[in-house]
């Protein structure tokens, strides 16, 4: 009887680092794209974050919210990559994507039937979100992602980002103000055409 209890206790072992991290991958990739700006850069960021966390897996596994811990690592890696790459001359990678989305009558499909458009409208919204978040600092983008996309409170986001609540609230307010200004600016630019 004691052997049966021991074997059942060992079969219910806690999840491994890889199991927990792999469970978070889809969500981390989506957020990394918003921070890094492209799918390839996001993959690099998530991979680097994995390596960073794998060095001390017990900290990751012991954390009460593994996603928050992993997101902090992703944000840190994305910020470091941005700092390293900003000395290089970058080509605006979103121009080709926007032109491809605008061509072929993709904009007419959703409004014409009011039905499903194959995900085109959602993809265009994601591209726009990535473009707008790319105009923010990494801290501002991180707070907006945590609060407005992931549903954390300001207090929780501040704890995740390891800043004071007031700092998190100020970053979010400034980020939202900048986003509103960009949207107004782009509306005026389109109205002038």
């Amino acid at each position: 009887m004691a052997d049966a209890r021991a074997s059942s206790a060992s079969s219910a072992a806690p999840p491994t680092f890889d199991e927990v991290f792999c469970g978070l991958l889809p969500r981390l990739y989506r957020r990394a794209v918003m921070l890094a700006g492209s799918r390839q850069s996001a993959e690099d960021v998530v991979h680097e974050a994995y390596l960073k966390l794998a060095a001390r897996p017990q900290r990751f596994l012991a954390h009460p919210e593994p996603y928050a811990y992993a997101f902090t690592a992703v944000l840190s890696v994305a910020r470091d990559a941005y700092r390293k790459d900003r000395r290089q001359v970058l080509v605006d990678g979103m121009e080709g994507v926007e032109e491809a989305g605008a061509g072929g009558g993709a904009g007419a499909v959703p409004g014409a039937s009011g039905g499903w458009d194959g995900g085109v409208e959602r993809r265009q919204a994601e591209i726009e979100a990535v473009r707008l978040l790319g105009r923010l600092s990494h801290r501002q983008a991180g707070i907006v992602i945590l609060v407005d996309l992931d549903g954390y409170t300001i207090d929780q986001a501040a704890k995740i980002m390891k800043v004071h609540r007031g700092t998190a609230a100020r970053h979010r307010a400034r980020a939202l103000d900048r986003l509103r200004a960009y949207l107004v600016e782009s509306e005026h630019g389109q109205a002038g055409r």
Side-chain angles (χ1 to χ4, degrees):
M1 187 85 142
D3 291 334
R5 286 186 201 148
S7 66
S8 68
S10 65
S11 66
T16 66
F17 172 81
D18 286 336
E19 290 171 342
V20 174
F21 193 85
C22 287
L24 299 174
L25 275 177
R27 193 171 173 193
L28 289 174
Y29 276 130
R30 284 192 304 271
R31 300 312 181 221
V33 167
M34 292 179 171
L35 292 169
S38 72
R39 184 176 294 169
Q40 183 178 11
S41 297
E43 289 173 358
D44 293 343
V45 165
V46 171
H47 178 73
E48 288 297 319
Y50 171 85
L51 295 175
K52 193 174 187 179
L53 295 173
R56 294 191 177 112
Q58 65 281 3
R59 285 187 181 178
F60 174 71
L61 293 172
H63 197 274
E65 273 197 77
Y67 168 76
Y69 195 81
F71 178 79
T72 303
V74 165
L75 182 63
S76 173
V77 170
R79 184 175 43 239
D80 292 345
Y82 172 77
R83 286 178 181 161
K84 187 171 95 175
D85 292 343
R86 74 177 174 195
R87 286 178 249 138
Q88 298 175 0
V89 176
L90 300 176
V91 177
D92 187 7
M94 299 308 286
E95 275 184 70
V97 175
E98 289 171 356
E99 290 168 6
V109 174
S113 66
W116 186 66
D117 66 349
V120 173
E121 189 174 336
R122 179 182 173 159
R123 183 65 185 136
Q124 288 175 335
E126 288 172 354
I127 290 169
E128 182 66 10
V130 168
R131 186 182 71 78
L132 289 171
L133 286 171
R135 293 180 157 207
L136 302 175
S137 73
H138 280 87
R139 279 205 175 164
Q140 289 174 340
I143 291 291
V144 168
I145 287 171
L146 285 171
V147 174
D148 298 302
L149 298 177
D150 288 338
Y152 287 98
T153 66
I154 291 285
D155 291 327
Q156 292 168 328
K159 189 180 279 188
I160 291 167
M161 302 274 301
K162 296 181 179 136
V163 296
H164 188 272
R165 183 197 190 287
T167 302
R170 188 172 59 246
H171 281 307
R172 181 171 177 261
R174 287 179 180 167
L176 294 178
D177 286 345
R178 286 180 76 180
L179 291 174
R180 283 185 201 103
Y182 292 139
L183 290 174
V184 168
E185 177 184 306
S186 67
E187 284 177 10
H188 287 303
Q190 289 177 356
R193 288 183 184 174

